Amino acid sequence: MKAAVTGWAWRTPLGVTVEQGVTRLLAGERAARPPEGFAADAYACRLVAPLGVQPTRSREGRFLRRMGRFALEVAREAAEQAGVSGGDRVGLFAGFGGLRAHWEEMMPALEKQAPDGRESWERGLKGLHPFWMLQHLSNNAHALVSVALKARGEGMTFGGANAGAQALASAQRALAAGAVDVAIVLAEDTLLEPEVLVELGASGVANRAGLEALEAPYSARAAGFVPGEAVAAVVLEPLERAGPRTLAWAEAADGADGSRGAPRPETLARVAAGLVTPGVHLIDGAGRADVTFDAAEREVLAKLVPEGACLTSTASSMGQLGASAPVVQLIALASCLRRGVLPPVAGLHEPAPGPLRCIVKSEETVGRQALALSAGAPGLVGALRVEVVFVGTRNK
């Protein structure tokens, strides 16, 4: 079910534009930094990878929070690049990390409430936005983006840690079945909400070190990942329709095993197996930065790819991006392959022993294909294969 990518845009911790983000990715930069705007010592994890910018003001802000407004921006940019102007055969497929409480508005409304509910309006409820319940809807971005882009075709909203992969896979199926002619895939997620940071810290999967002691995924001393956030959009079309407008080809899959935390490594292998071809010589790993998981991941994936395949991690640069990771990985890997350069595992100085050669410094390549993996709780997997037509200056 391979589809052609004809437009893309993102907001990532490494940059607002694709060009900016990929340049920093290839330079081996890391977006991790101490949090701003809240007390870092209130959370077990001391580092985050935020976007660092705010969305433009728009009338849709009545219903959309910050990440949703970013989603509207990137969807518009991707559609414009692809030359898509909407219609009954244009579908929208959205991936959303999950429902999150809007604490900055809810806490002032609740903190002075009485146990018996007396004078609740005057004690704070009057400060809630009239649309506060509507603002929590998981399909808000889907609805407003579809209106803005006049995307009136079939579509779907997915939720969870691999929602971006689900959205990509569903869009590809819709194209293959002829349900739509064009599929806009949109994914947004932030792991920087207070309740998420508390959960990540309590489960021990987030890094607790300061910036100077931060170890990269696949390091011999890896000790947890950096939570991040991102929004990304791509436009998919059938190969024969896209023609010379094609930026890359992509194919996605998703799966799960019911694990309480990260999926079992064999589940990664099972989901990835259907996407691997002899041309895959680069893997963008799940980047969990857990020594045991990293080692097991390398072992099972090495059995799927040709000997000599190498390993990188966009998560080492951008942090864990939740539901948005697969769409970000698609854009990042395709952009790097188009340049003919492989990105490094940022900050990796001492790779742990094991199969798959870890890339520690950007290097040139003539390879055309890459495999990307993402993982999250509960036992969720996203997999993606990216392929470009040309490599190097011809395809910049």
Side-chain angles (χ1 to χ4, degrees):
M1 294 186 294
K2 185 166 61 175
V5 182
T6 57
W8 55 35
W10 69 15
R11 301 290 184 269
T12 73
L14 283 185
V16 171
T17 67
V18 173
E19 176 68 23
Q20 181 187 40
V22 172
T23 298
R24 296 183 64 190
L25 178 69
L26 291 173
E29 295 188 34
R30 292 190 291 184
R33 66 190 193 196
E36 298 177 1
F38 60 86
D41 56 6
Y43 302 95
C45 45
R46 298 288 189 263
L47 299 172
V48 294
L51 294 182
V53 295
Q54 294 297 325
T56 56
R57 294 179 62 87
S58 68
R59 62 190 301 272
E60 290 84 3
R62 294 175 297 170
F63 298 100
L64 294 175
R65 298 184 74 209
R66 170 172 163 266
M67 299 301 284
R69 298 200 299 275
F70 278 130
L72 184 60
E73 291 179 10
V74 300
R76 281 174 166 157
E77 292 171 14
E80 182 179 357
Q81 182 182 16
V84 172
S85 56
D88 295 337
R89 301 284 296 169
V90 177
L92 178 62
F93 299 80
F96 180 72
L99 294 176
R100 310 275 164 71
H102 301 181
W103 295 112
E104 70 276 14
E105 184 178 17
M106 292 177 62
M107 287 303 293
L110 298 176
E111 63 182 349
K112 296 180 181 179
Q113 295 295 329
D116 60 2
R118 180 173 46 87
E119 299 178 341
S120 58
W121 180 259
E122 293 300 326
R123 288 176 180 270
L125 292 187
K126 66 180 181 180
L128 287 174
H129 193 284
F131 300 149
W132 76 276
M133 289 191 69
L134 295 176
Q135 291 172 338
H136 281 77
L137 294 177
S138 60
N139 62 350
N140 269 350
H142 188 146
L144 293 172
V145 170
S146 65
V147 171
L149 300 185
K150 299 180 174 63
R152 298 188 294 268
E154 298 292 332
M156 184 72 70
T157 293
F158 298 90
N162 67 343
Q166 292 182 65
L168 285 167
S170 181
Q172 291 168 184
R173 293 187 186 101
L175 290 169
V180 295
D181 294 333
V182 178
I184 301 169
V185 180
L186 174 67
E188 59 162 296
D189 202 0
T190 175
L191 303 187
L192 307 188
E193 297 288 355
E195 66 271 35
V196 180
L197 291 176
V198 168
E199 181 182 357
L200 293 177
S203 64
V205 297
N207 195 287
R208 295 170 178 256
L211 194 58
E212 298 77 13
L214 177 63
E215 290 287 343
Y218 311 109
S219 164
R221 294 183 296 273
F225 60 74
V226 175
E229 57 181 359
V231 184
V234 294
V235 178
L236 303 181
E237 301 183 47
L239 304 184
E240 62 276 8
R241 174 188 170 99
R245 295 182 295 115
T246 299
L247 299 170
W249 296 327
E251 185 174 8
D254 63 276
D257 60 24
S259 297
R260 183 172 181 177
R264 295 186 291 272
E266 55 267 28
T267 306
L268 285 177
R270 173 174 56 81
V271 176
L275 301 178
V276 175
T277 70
V280 173
H281 288 273
L282 171 68
I283 295 178
D284 181 10
R288 300 291 293 181
D290 175 284
V291 172
T292 302
F293 183 93
D294 290 354
E297 178 191 17
R298 291 170 67 178
E299 289 288 343
V300 297
L301 294 179
K303 298 175 182 178
L304 301 178
V305 297
E307 186 177 355
C310 49
L311 180 68
T312 189
S313 174
T314 52
S316 66
S317 290
M318 300 188 190
Q320 283 289 331
L321 304 180
S324 59
V327 184
V328 169
Q329 289 173 304
L330 189 165
I331 298 172
L333 293 174
S335 298
C336 291
L337 291 176
R338 284 163 60 88
R339 293 187 184 203
V341 185
L342 301 181
V345 181
L348 181 59
H349 304 295
E350 184 183 343
L356 301 175
R357 178 178 64 85
C358 293
I359 302 175
V360 296
K361 185 178 180 181
S362 294
E363 57 186 62
E364 294 185 355
T365 184
V366 294
R368 295 173 45 196
Q369 298 185 50
L371 178 72
L373 280 301
S374 56
L380 301 174
V381 177
L384 171 77
R385 183 173 66 86
V386 179
E387 183 176 354
V388 298
V389 182
F390 301 114
V391 175
T393 56
R394 289 180 297 169
N395 206 28
K396 286 184 180 178

